[in-house]
């Protein structure tokens, strides 16, 4: 019994997507039990990037690592692992944030798993330190009121929903389309004093609303869960900004290029949106290190274009 029903998945990638979905169903069950099950949100250490590791980060990482080798993944690069793991002799290299948004685990807010797939090269690290445009698949599983899967293979962005009765992911939308213009913008406004000028200018234009240069009112949204923000923007539009700011260690923002920024950029662009580092398309960039960060601005074309004008 497969975990996903769809003839919209390239045959050679189906085992990988099916393994991601089957593992995701297990992770969703653990999350749904919350405090009734094992403790999920207590700190268990630090990952390579210096971020605090929660118990669920490690549980999810171990589950995906176990499942993906037999599915054809040769190299496994995870936020929760220092280096690249060799899982088998399959044709693919998969980068993953096993559990993104872990600061939301204990408050029952949507969190997710983000993944990016390349054809494996001869070397482990070189299979990931390459132009983001070479991704052959990218997506996320969202653990929320619905458990969902957004995925792209370079021919548009598809959305699936897990049917709770059959425990199978079913196709809900085969061509997600982001609106041209946004009505919402997303940024952690708590750090306004640290923002670069172009970020402040964009946000102030949104705050000026219908009387300002944008000529319409905007609502502000911040969930602090990249998967939840991306799902909302894919579904109804918006603009997301996490640029570099003046805080120590935030010169390139907070989000990681290989397993957060690059896969989300592919999903967004395949749905007709734009994804940049503030001015340069993410898909034109090459990761310099496994856990390196990248400034990230994505969403509706009109807004991301305006951000690039202000950045310039
Ligand atoms: P955690 O996984 O540590 O919760 O970080 C989540 C995240 O990487 C991304 O999902 C959010 O968009 C972003 O951090 C939120 O960052 P702030 O906590 O600085 O708002």
């Amino acid at each position: 019994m497969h975990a996903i029903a769809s003839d919209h998945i390239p045959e050679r990638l189906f085992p990988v997507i099916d393994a991601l979905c089957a593992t995701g169903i297990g992770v969703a069950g653990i999350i749904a039990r919350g405090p009734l099950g094992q403790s999920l949100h207590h700190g268990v250490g630090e990952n390579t990037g210096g971020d605090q590791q929660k118990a669920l980060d490690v549980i999810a990482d171990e589950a995906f690592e176990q499942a993906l080798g037999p599915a054809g993944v040769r190299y496994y690069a995870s936020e929760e692992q220092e280096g690249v793991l060799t899982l088998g002799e399959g044709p693919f290299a998969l980068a993953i944030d096993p559990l993104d948004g872990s600061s939301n685990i204990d408050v029952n807010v949507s969190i997710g798993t983000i993944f990016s797939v390349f054809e494996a090269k001869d070397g482990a690290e070189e299979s990931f330190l390459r132009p983001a445009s070479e991704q052959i698949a990218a997506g996320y599983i969202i653990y929320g009121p619905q458990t969902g899967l957004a995925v792209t293979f370079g021919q548009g962005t598809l959305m699936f929903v897990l049917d709770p009765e059959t425990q199978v992911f079913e196709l809900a939308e085969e061509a997600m389309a982001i609106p041209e213009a946004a009505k919402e913008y997303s940024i952690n406004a708590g750090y306004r004093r640290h923002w670069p000028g172009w970020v402040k200018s964009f946000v102030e234009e949104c705050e000026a609303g219908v009387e300002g240069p944008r000529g319409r009112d905007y609502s502000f949204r911040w969930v602090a869960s990249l998967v939840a923000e991306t799902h909302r923007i894919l579904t109804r539009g918006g603009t997301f900004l996490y640029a570099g700011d003046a805080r120590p260690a935030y010169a390139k923002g907070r989000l990681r290029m290989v397993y957060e920024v690059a896969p989300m950029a592919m999903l967004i662009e395949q749905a007709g949106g734009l994804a940049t580092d503030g001015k340069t398309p993410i898909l034109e960039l090459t990761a310099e290190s496994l856990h390196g960060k990248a400034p990230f601005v994505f969403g509706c074309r009109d807004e991301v274009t305006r951000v690039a004008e202000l950045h310039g």
Side-chain angles (χ1 to χ4, degrees):
M1 179 68 175
H2 293 306
I4 183 166
S6 167
D7 55 9
H8 292 76
I9 298 174
E11 189 177 340
R12 63 190 290 266
L13 279 163
F14 185 82
V16 174
I17 304 302
D18 192 40
L20 285 165
C21 288
T23 307
I25 291 169
V27 172
I30 293 170
I31 293 168
R33 280 181 56 81
L36 301 180
Q38 56 199 306
S39 167
L40 300 176
H41 56 81
H42 66 274
V44 294
E46 254 190 22
N47 63 26
T48 308
D51 299 334
Q52 190 195 45
Q53 258 181 340
K54 305 284 178 65
L56 186 59
D57 287 317
V58 176
I59 293 166
D61 183 48
E62 288 172 352
F64 284 107
E65 179 191 332
Q66 290 303 314
L68 289 167
V73 171
R74 184 187 317 172
Y75 298 131
Y76 178 82
S78 168
E79 178 173 44
E80 307 310 330
Q81 303 277 351
E82 180 171 359
V84 176
L85 301 185
T86 300
L87 301 185
E89 298 177 355
F92 303 117
L94 184 139
I96 189 167
D97 181 354
L99 205 289
D100 181 76
S102 48
S103 59
N104 291 297
I105 293 170
D106 48 340
V107 292
N108 199 17
V109 166
S110 297
I111 50 185
T113 297
I114 309 169
F115 61 90
S116 165
V117 186
F118 293 98
E119 299 287 359
K121 287 185 169 181
D122 290 343
E125 279 220 349
E126 70 174 299
S127 293
F128 299 99
L129 306 186
R130 61 204 282 191
S133 58
E134 292 181 6
Q135 293 176 96
I136 59 171
Y140 61 78
I141 298 171
I142 182 167
Y143 309 107
Q146 300 153 21
T147 295
L149 168 78
V151 65
T152 180
F153 305 100
Q155 309 292 323
T157 294
L158 300 92
M159 191 67 72
F160 295 80
V161 173
L162 178 67
D163 182 331
E165 288 173 18
T166 63
Q167 289 294 290
V168 174
F169 283 85
E170 301 286 353
L171 185 68
E173 173 58 62
E174 66 179 309
M176 297 296 288
I178 297 180
E180 284 282 319
K183 297 185 177 67
E184 295 169 327
Y185 67 99
S186 300
I187 189 168
N188 184 333
Y191 298 118
R192 180 189 289 265
R193 65 191 181 284
H194 298 299
W195 294 345
W198 55 275
V199 170
K200 282 183 183 150
S201 298
F202 177 75
V203 170
E204 286 163 2
E205 287 190 357
C206 293
E207 290 169 334
V210 68
E211 297 86 25
R214 308 296 296 152
R216 60 174 169 273
D217 286 341
Y218 290 78
S219 292
F220 169 71
R221 295 283 184 274
W222 189 249
V223 184
S225 170
L226 176 61
V227 170
E229 316 275 13
T230 306
H231 195 81
R232 187 189 62 249
I233 291 171
L234 268 178
T235 306
R236 68 182 190 220
T239 315
F240 175 98
L241 301 97
Y242 213 123
D245 65 41
R247 285 176 289 167
Y250 276 74
K252 287 196 168 183
R254 176 189 173 98
L255 302 175
R256 311 283 176 172
M257 176 69 182
V258 169
Y259 38 77
E260 291 175 332
V261 173
M264 291 316 208
M266 185 178 182
L267 281 169
I268 291 293
E269 299 239 339
Q270 283 291 318
L274 287 181
T276 71
D277 64 358
K279 59 181 185 296
T280 305
I282 294 295
L283 295 182
E284 293 178 13
L285 301 178
T286 296
E288 294 163 4
S289 64
L290 273 186
H291 301 286
K293 297 176 181 178
F296 197 20
V297 176
F298 69 84
C300 297
R301 302 185 73 83
D302 288 359
E303 322 305 311
V304 177
T305 302
R306 180 58 181 153
V307 171
E309 289 168 357
L310 292 165
H311 192 300

